[in-house]
């Protein structure tokens, strides 16, 4: 028999400022990706539909249930990561990827700075382990800080070239994969390996469910699309 435990949402422990900052960061991610997609309304509409579906599931407590098979945490990352990867194996998907504006894809990573501030606040509220913050092993804040600098030096001043931009994308992709690994290994699933004293439950609460389902896939796709464009660039 499966035992299902649903923990109450401790929203009172999270400041209104943190919630508002995260919602604004999500909106900024969508807006920057919309610009990077050359204002593709179909794409942004599809993302908004997914955002609403995830939001409703988050409010219902769907992602907070433990003891289910497969683990509900899988539905936070699994579908979107799979979709991102599938884009690269279809001609239509690759055409879309190659049509993205690499300048805006680079600037988009600035959203990772407020994300790190939000994660630290959620940690202080006791919803994620310290490992997932810049006080632990999450160095993703570097990506957010350097994104506007790289954008300025590569696309405005043209001091740095494509090789450096490619290196930066690979480095920041590694930072993203690092925090994703920590988030997965600290979640309440049969695969949990760390942070048993304070597991990663923050991203199962609304509105923070949009971090793994909206922001992370956009950031991941931005890196992969940029790397593909730079590797196959004729310049």
């Amino acid at each position: 028999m499966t035992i299902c435990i649903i923990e109450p949402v401790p929203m009172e422990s999270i400041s209104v400022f943190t919630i508002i900052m995260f919602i604004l960061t999500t909106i900024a991610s969508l807006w920057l990706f919309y610009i990077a997609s050359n204002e593709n309304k179909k794409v942004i509409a599809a993302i908004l539909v997914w955002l609403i579906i995830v939001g409703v599931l988050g409010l219902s407590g769907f992602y907070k249930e433990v003891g289910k098979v497969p683990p509900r945490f899988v539905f936070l990352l699994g579908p979107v990561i799979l979709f991102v990867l599938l884009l690269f194996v279809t001609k239509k998907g690759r055409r879309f990827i190659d049509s993205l504006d690499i300048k805006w894809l680079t600037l988009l990573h600035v959203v990772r700075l407020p994300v790190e501030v939000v994660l630290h606040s959620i940690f202080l509220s006791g919803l994620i382990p310290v490992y997932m913050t810049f006080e632990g092993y999450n160095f993703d804040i570097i990506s957010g800080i350097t994104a506007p600098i790289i954008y300025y030096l590569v696309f405005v001043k043209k001091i740095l070239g494509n090789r450096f931009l490619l290196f930066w994308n690979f480095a920041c992709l590694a930072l993203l994969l690092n925090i994703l690994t920590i988030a997965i290994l600290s979640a309440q699933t049969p695969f949990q390996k760390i942070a048993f004293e304070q597991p990663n439950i923050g991203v199962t609460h609304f509105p923070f469910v949009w971090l793994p389902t909206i922001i992370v896939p956009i950031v991941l796709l931005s890196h992969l699309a940029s790397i593909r464009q730079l590797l196959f660039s004729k310049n």
Side-chain angles (χ1 to χ4, degrees):
M1 182 177 67
T2 301
I3 299 176
C4 180
I5 302 174
I6 301 180
E7 298 182 6
V9 180
M11 292 302 292
E12 67 278 0
S13 66
I14 305 174
S15 70
V16 174
F17 175 78
T18 298
I19 295 173
I20 293 175
M21 176 183 284
F22 179 75
I23 292 175
L24 291 177
T25 301
T26 303
I27 293 172
S29 301
L30 291 171
W31 180 77
L32 287 168
F33 190 71
Y34 173 65
I35 301 299
S37 68
N38 300 300
E39 302 185 6
N40 190 316
K41 293 181 174 58
K42 290 183 179 180
V43 170
I44 203 66
I47 297 176
L48 286 173
V49 169
W50 176 243
L51 179 145
I52 292 171
I53 292 173
V54 170
V56 171
L57 290 174
L59 285 170
S60 71
F62 174 83
Y63 299 109
K64 293 186 295 176
E65 295 183 10
V66 297
K68 294 288 186 178
V69 179
R72 290 291 168 83
F73 191 85
V74 171
F75 296 103
L76 281 171
L77 278 172
V80 286
I81 298 299
L82 180 62
F83 178 76
V84 168
L85 296 179
L86 285 176
L87 284 176
F88 288 83
V89 299
T90 63
K91 289 183 178 180
K92 189 174 182 179
R94 290 192 294 270
R95 281 199 302 269
F96 169 70
I97 289 168
D98 293 339
S99 72
L100 295 173
D101 189 329
I102 194 170
K103 295 194 298 288
W104 285 96
L105 291 180
T106 302
L107 192 58
L108 182 148
H109 295 287
V110 72
V111 301
R112 291 156 81 167
L113 179 55
V115 163
E116 295 309 308
V117 175
V118 168
L119 284 176
H120 190 263
S121 179
I122 298 175
F123 155 66
L124 294 177
S125 298
L127 297 179
I128 64 172
V130 67
Y131 308 122
M132 290 180 61
T133 74
F134 50 74
E135 287 189 12
Y137 302 114
N138 181 2
F139 307 106
D140 205 48
I141 194 170
I142 297 172
S143 305
I145 292 173
T146 58
I149 299 173
I150 296 299
Y151 172 83
Y152 181 75
L153 295 178
V154 174
F155 299 107
V156 179
K157 284 298 185 179
K158 302 186 186 302
I159 296 174
L160 301 176
N162 284 354
R163 287 187 179 180
F164 189 89
L165 183 60
L166 181 62
F167 167 78
W168 179 81
N169 270 283
F170 271 119
C172 292
L173 176 60
L175 294 178
L176 177 64
L177 295 178
N178 171 63
I179 180 56
L180 279 178
T181 301
I182 295 173
I184 292 170
L185 294 180
S186 61
Q188 287 181 309
T189 72
F191 311 106
Q192 185 176 2
K193 299 297 182 182
I194 59 174
F196 291 96
E197 71 288 350
Q198 177 50 70
N200 171 22
I201 62 173
V203 297
T204 65
H205 292 71
F206 179 85
F208 307 112
V209 288
W210 289 331
L211 177 56
T213 57
I214 301 295
I215 297 178
V216 167
I218 287 177
V219 169
L220 175 62
L221 178 57
S222 296
H223 275 315
L224 295 179
S226 296
I227 290 171
R228 173 180 164 82
Q229 289 187 28
L230 290 166
L231 287 176
F232 291 96
S233 174
K234 295 180 180 180
N235 298 327

